[in-house]
Amino acid sequence: MPGSRRSDAAPQKKTGSKRVNRASPLASNRKISRKTEGVQAAILETAAQIFARKGYYLTKLSDISDELGMHVTALRYHFTTKDVIAAEIVNRVIRTNLDSLCQTLEDLGPETSSRDKIAAAIQTYMRVSAANKAGIAAHGNIVNQLPVEVKDEHYELLHEFLDIWRDLVSEAAARGELRPGLSPSIATQVILGTVIWSREWYRPEIGTPDNIAAEMTRMLFGGLMTDEPSPARKPGPARD
């Protein structure tokens, strides 16, 4: 992993209990049928949409089961509590982003420029987000409302994801690719704020994930303004 805390080798994906929610049938080691997988996926998708609308506190298991036309007892067979569903949704969002980002950087290799790595990371994030809009929206709406034990496990996973971005920017600074005088810490927050906040405004009609990522990259790398201010315009005639 690039940066001061890791070598230039591709990031290693961690495994173990901290990466999965063992309370969820989706995260267990037993084999489940395709039909069961489909039911659980539908539950999570529907729950994510409701969490995105109502938040964590106002959502009940019966809201989810009613939306699906399923008895709440059947819902509990797959996910015993609302906490389990919420944890699966928010952790899956980060796991998917983390795994996709690690794979992207591994495919690029350590000799790739930091500029190209960060650009590819932004593109990967936008692609993953566009493919999981409900999960991303739910994550943003409920992550701070979760019970402490669920939140603690999730934040450990989230920090692992964010560390990769910090290391990418630290590597850029170490290689001399970051502009002199800029703070790597602030630069990291600017990049993360740009990509993560896209959940609030991204719509397919605005552009494809790749087009949006390319636009973000141009703005982040090149800036928003020209180097020289344009001459001030003369005021026009007064309007009645």
Side-chain angles (χ1 to χ4, degrees), residues 79-91:
F79 300 98
T80 54
T81 67
K82 182 175 72 171
D83 290 357
V84 173
I85 296 177
E88 188 65 46
I89 290 171
V90 297
N91 288 340

Side-chain angles (χ1 to χ4, degrees), residues 177-199:
E177 294 186 46
L178 194 66
R179 290 184 182 179
L182 294 184
S183 163
S185 177
I186 295 176
T188 301
Q189 296 305 318
V190 169
I191 293 171
L192 286 172
T194 300
V195 297
I196 292 175
W197 197 250
S198 65
R199 70 169 183 257

Side-chain angles (χ1 to χ4, degrees), residues 7 33 49 60 65 84 148 157 166 188 195:
S7 68
S33 68
Q49 293 171 4
K60 299 178 291 187
S65 61
V84 173
V148 173
L157 186 63
R166 294 187 184 100
T188 301
V195 297

Side-chain angles (χ1 to χ4, degrees), residues 5-237:
R5 292 187 295 278
R6 295 177 175 85
S7 68
D8 275 349
Q12 298 297 312
K13 292 180 281 187
K14 296 182 181 180
T15 58
S17 60
K18 293 299 184 181
R19 290 294 308 279
V20 296
N21 175 11
R22 295 298 180 188
S24 167
L26 280 176
S28 68
N29 292 322
R30 72 176 185 270
K31 188 73 173 179
I32 60 176
S33 68
R34 288 187 178 182
K35 181 179 179 180
T36 299
E37 285 182 342
V39 172
Q40 292 173 347
I43 291 171
L44 292 175
E45 177 71 15
T46 300
Q49 293 171 4
I50 296 173
F51 280 137
R53 293 197 310 266
K54 301 181 65 173
Y56 176 80
Y57 297 125
L58 295 180
T59 298
K60 299 178 291 187
L61 280 180
S62 58
D63 295 330
I64 302 169
S65 61
D66 289 349
E67 187 81 13
L68 289 162
M70 173 188 293
H71 195 280
V72 71
T73 303
L75 177 61
R76 288 183 184 276
Y77 170 79
H78 295 282
F79 300 98
T80 54
T81 67
K82 182 175 72 171
D83 290 357
V84 173
I85 296 177
E88 188 65 46
I89 290 171
V90 297
N91 288 340
R92 176 178 285 200
V93 166
I94 302 303
R95 282 199 303 268
T96 303
N97 272 290
L98 176 59
D99 292 344
S100 299
L101 179 55
C102 287
Q103 187 61 58
T104 293
L105 297 178
E106 183 178 339
D107 291 343
L108 289 175
E111 300 306 317
T112 304
S113 70
S114 295
R115 182 188 187 95
D116 287 346
K117 287 181 181 179
I118 294 172
I122 293 171
Q123 182 185 67
T124 297
Y125 184 91
M126 289 305 302
R127 287 178 175 179
V128 171
S129 296
N132 186 23
K133 286 183 60 181
I136 293 289
H139 181 281
N141 203 27
I142 70 173
V143 68
N144 291 322
Q145 303 173 5
L146 296 173
V148 173
E149 62 275 10
V150 176
K151 193 183 300 184
D152 287 347
E153 180 182 354
H154 176 70
Y155 280 167
E156 183 171 338
L157 186 63
L158 179 61
H159 289 156
E160 184 181 344
F161 173 69
L162 297 179
D163 279 347
I164 296 178
W165 290 88
R166 294 187 184 100
D167 287 349
L168 286 172
V169 177
S170 294
E171 180 190 65
R175 288 177 167 183
E177 294 186 46
L178 194 66
R179 290 184 182 179
L182 294 184
S183 163
S185 177
I186 295 176
T188 301
Q189 296 305 318
V190 169
I191 293 171
L192 286 172
T194 300
V195 297
I196 292 175
W197 197 250
S198 65
R199 70 169 183 257
E200 299 293 334
W201 54 261
Y202 173 73
R203 300 290 184 275
E205 57 269 22
I206 297 176
T208 67
D210 286 2
N211 288 342
I212 297 295
E215 188 81 2
M216 286 179 174
T217 301
R218 285 195 295 271
M219 291 180 183
L220 289 168
F221 292 172
L224 295 174
M225 304 297 181
T226 58
D227 290 336
E228 297 295 334
S230 59
R233 292 183 178 180
K234 294 181 179 180

